[in-house]
Amino acid sequence: MSDTLLVDRKQAAAIAAISVATWDRMVVAGKTPAPIYLSRGCVRWRVDDLRTWVAEGCPNRRSFESMKR
């Protein structure tokens, strides 16, 4: 996964060191980086965003997006 740019929900949860169920709840609550919708049912997250998000203490989506700007 070292040169992977986008990951699915299972891989995103693994990067965050949480279960997939917890990841899904956090996504719905807006507590993860914004997902990328490639097509219907194909959702991915940027690995760089996930690593930065974890390093920053896992802020909510709005705060994280503000930090990125």
Side-chain angles (χ1 to χ4, degrees):
M1 193 164 54
S2 62
D3 50 352
T4 303
L5 300 176
L6 299 173
V7 294
D8 64 16
R9 64 196 259 275
K10 290 179 185 177
Q11 294 165 315
I15 290 170
I18 58 176
S19 71
V20 174
T22 298
W23 177 259
D24 290 342
R25 284 191 297 273
M26 290 177 72
V27 170
V28 170
K31 295 182 178 182
T32 65
I36 299 169
Y37 297 93
L38 299 176
S39 66
R40 185 179 178 114
C42 185
V43 183
R44 300 291 185 263
W45 285 264
R46 288 181 180 90
V47 171
D48 288 342
D49 282 354
L50 293 170
R51 289 182 178 148
T52 302
W53 175 71
V54 169
E56 292 294 328
C58 305
N60 66 43
R61 184 172 300 151
R62 181 176 287 165
S63 297
F64 181 71
E65 294 299 324
S66 294
M67 285 191 297
K68 283 179 31 178
R69 292 181 201 157

